[in-house]
Amino acid sequence: MRNRIIIIISMIVITISILGFVIWFYIDTKENKKIDAEAITLKENLTLEFGQEAKVSDFIANINGSIVNDHAINTEKLGDIQVSFDYINIKNKRRTSGFTIKITDKNAPQIFIGNSFTVNVGYNKNLADVLFSGDDIDNNPKREILGQYDLNVVGDYDLTYVVTDSSGNQSKKQFTLHVKEEGNKTTSVPKEPLYLSDVLNKYKTENTKIGIDVSKWQQEIDWQAVKNAGVEFVMIRMGYQTDFDGECVLDPYFISNIEGAKSAGLPVGVYFYSYAKNVNQVVLQAEWVKENLKNYKLDLPVAFDWESWNSFNTAGMSFYTINKVANTFLDNLEKSGYKGMLYSSKTYLEKIWYPTKYDTWLAQYNNEPTYTGKYSMWQMSNTGKVDGIKGDVDIDIMYLNNN
């Protein structure tokens, strides 16, 4: 009898304990759910522009606790984006939460043409492919020419160029198409030569070094004569892509140029001429460059040179894409210990290229550069005359303190 009573009492105690635990668990769970539900208050605006930098905390108005990892949000895709993150609540419990943001594009495409465009009668290219335009995000915006014209009939045609991106943003430009008879070809006026001695006299300071850049077009070079003439550095084309989707090849004079310049004691950098249309292509090009540089020590940067702007419309690239291509190439080289540099002319530095952490090599053939951005090297002329080089050569000024 006594044992029976003990068993009953034990069962009652166990039942009460279980019931108590269940009640406690229910209350605690309900309380935790309430705590978690009230832990985070989001901001009203949950939209971002494409490519805009942001992190999780930028969208949180208030949090009763702390974010575990306030990570950056990938904004490289338009539309709704799910953002997930972990946080520690006020009861020191780790929780996962999230929210949805919308990535938008409100920027209209850009059109880079003047008020008129002239072609010879019988012109057989698609005008929409030729008239330079582009979008910040859309690799293939819709390009249209509105109005009637006939490329086989001489005349003046008033037309409208319309470019529309995938988000519905649109730009228009009215222009006059002049279709004219093909006239006699005019004889080009020879450009004025620029002698290295004159450059040294005018531009050599404590803050500058005077140099040249060379490729196969200069053919055989007497590097000791170049050094003796006063050249202080050289940028050498190491290679190039043959065309869009083409292969990478060494400049036929690269090896003789880099070995000759180094033997003469000149500081050397290189550049690569690219037609890369996407990140995958340019990664392979960066690896190709590193493989072909492994036997040489550089004193100056590796420059990325992309300048096929006449084919930009048909290359299938946005401004975002081409900037990512360049930065991917330079990032890859930098991770391997090289110094990167972006080469471009003033026009495209102002219109296409985004500000970059890498040095800029400015091309502008002028007595003084008018580009207002920062640059560490200036290609000032392509008609330079230097002892040791038979024809014309590009002359460059390197600034020891960036402009």
Side-chain angles (χ1 to χ4, degrees):
M1 182 71 177
R2 183 180 178 186
N3 288 340
R4 191 174 178 184
I5 294 173
I6 292 173
I7 292 172
I8 293 172
I9 293 173
S10 297
M11 292 178 65
I12 293 172
V13 170
I14 292 172
T15 302
I16 292 173
S17 297
I18 293 174
L19 182 61
F21 175 78
V22 170
I23 294 171
W24 171 85
F25 182 79
Y26 172 78
I27 294 173
D28 186 66
T29 301
K30 188 174 182 180
E31 181 182 358
N32 281 332
K33 286 183 177 180
K34 183 179 180 182
I35 289 172
D36 291 338
E38 297 175 349
I40 299 170
T41 303
L42 298 176
K43 293 181 178 179
E44 291 184 7
N45 184 9
L46 298 180
T47 62
L48 279 177
E49 280 286 300
F50 182 94
Q52 183 178 347
E53 293 185 358
K55 52 188 179 180
V56 172
S57 60
D58 292 332
F59 294 93
I60 297 177
N62 183 61
I63 181 168
N64 293 328
S66 60
I67 298 173
V68 175
N69 180 16
D70 191 13
H71 62 80
I73 297 173
N74 186 345
T75 61
E76 297 182 356
K77 184 178 180 181
L78 291 174
D80 291 339
I81 302 294
Q82 301 296 321
V83 179
S84 179
F85 66 98
D86 289 349
Y87 69 98
I88 305 297
N89 68 16
I90 58 175
K91 297 190 73 173
N92 204 34
K93 301 290 185 180
R94 184 170 180 139
R95 296 286 188 259
T96 298
S97 186
F99 51 88
T100 301
I101 64 173
K102 189 176 185 64
I103 309 300
T104 63
D105 172 26
K106 299 178 182 178
N107 296 320
Q110 296 187 55
I111 297 173
F112 304 113
I113 64 171
N115 295 324
S116 65
F117 187 74
T118 302
V119 299
N120 291 328
V121 65
Y123 187 77
N124 59 8
K125 292 184 179 180
N126 186 336
L127 288 181
D129 292 340
V130 174
L131 300 175
F132 186 26
S133 64
D135 187 62
D136 55 345
I137 302 170
D138 192 345
N139 288 327
N140 293 288
K142 183 179 180 181
R143 297 175 169 97
E144 305 172 274
I145 307 294
L146 303 184
Q148 299 297 317
Y149 63 96
D150 190 336
L151 295 174
N152 294 309
V153 177
V154 173
D156 298 327
Y157 304 90
D158 292 328
L159 305 172
T160 303
Y161 187 29
V162 182
V163 184
T164 309
D165 68 20
S166 58
S167 296
N169 303 305
Q170 188 177 88
S171 292
K172 297 181 179 181
K173 172 69 177 180
Q174 293 182 335
F175 70 103
T176 300
L177 172 66
H178 302 291
V179 180
K180 65 180 184 65
E181 292 284 0
E182 185 172 3
N184 296 328
K185 293 184 178 180
T186 58
T187 303
S188 58
V189 179
K191 295 181 180 179
E192 194 72 23
L194 181 64
Y195 293 95
L196 179 65
S197 56
D198 294 333
V199 176
L200 290 167
N201 289 334
K202 184 174 181 179
Y203 296 99
K204 176 61 183 170
T205 69
E206 293 182 354
N207 187 46
T208 63
K209 288 189 175 182
I210 311 301
I212 58 175
D213 62 269
V214 300
S215 66
K216 69 176 184 179
W217 306 114
Q218 281 69 45
Q219 300 185 3
E220 296 290 340
I221 296 174
D222 182 343
W223 284 104
Q224 193 57 56
V226 168
K227 173 73 179 297
N228 294 341
V231 168
E232 298 176 286
F233 71 91
V234 58
M235 295 292 291
I236 300 170
R237 186 175 76 166
M238 67 164 302
Y240 56 94
Q241 188 179 5
T242 54
D243 205 338
F244 289 107
D245 300 315
E247 61 180 345
C248 297
V249 296
L250 275 180
D251 185 294
Y253 285 84
F254 169 64
I255 293 176
S256 61
N257 278 338
I258 193 168
E259 292 181 354
K262 280 185 163 295
S263 295
L266 287 168
V268 170
V270 300
Y271 69 95
F272 178 79
Y273 190 101
S274 175
Y275 286 92
K277 298 190 296 186
N278 55 56
V279 167
N280 291 337
Q281 288 184 357
V282 87
V283 167
L284 295 177
Q285 292 174 14
E287 294 299 325
W288 182 90
V289 167
K290 290 188 294 186
E291 175 65 21
N292 286 281
L293 282 178
K294 65 183 180 182
N295 295 325
Y296 303 103
K297 178 177 173 56
L298 299 183
D299 313 286
L300 301 174
V302 178
F304 181 74
D305 180 8
W306 200 107
E307 50 184 288
S308 301
W309 304 108
N310 290 337
S311 301
F312 185 81
N313 288 18
T314 55
M317 305 178 78
S318 65
F319 303 146
Y320 178 81
T321 296
I322 193 169
N323 277 273
K324 189 168 184 178
V325 162
N327 284 323
T328 297
F329 179 92
L330 297 173
D331 288 347
N332 190 306
L333 270 294
E334 184 182 64
K335 288 176 182 176
S336 296
Y338 296 96
K339 185 176 176 60
M341 174 181 279
L342 175 67
Y343 170 89
S344 189
S345 67
K346 173 182 182 291
T347 297
Y348 299 104
L349 286 170
E350 293 174 338
K351 291 181 177 180
I352 308 296
W353 297 110
Y354 300 161
T356 176
K357 67 178 181 179
Y358 295 103
D359 286 348
T360 295
W361 182 4
L362 166 69
Q364 186 183 12
Y365 303 151
N366 206 1
N367 289 329
E368 295 293 340
T370 59
Y371 177 61
T372 57
K374 288 188 175 182
Y375 53 95
S376 59
M377 194 179 295
W378 170 34
Q379 186 185 74
M380 62 175 300
S381 174
N382 62 350
T383 60
K385 299 295 183 183
V386 177
D387 291 347
I389 299 177
K390 295 176 184 177
D392 291 343
V393 66
D394 298 338
I395 293 184
D396 304 274
I397 297 177
M398 180 168 60
Y399 299 90
L400 304 183
N401 295 315
N402 285 8
N403 278 2

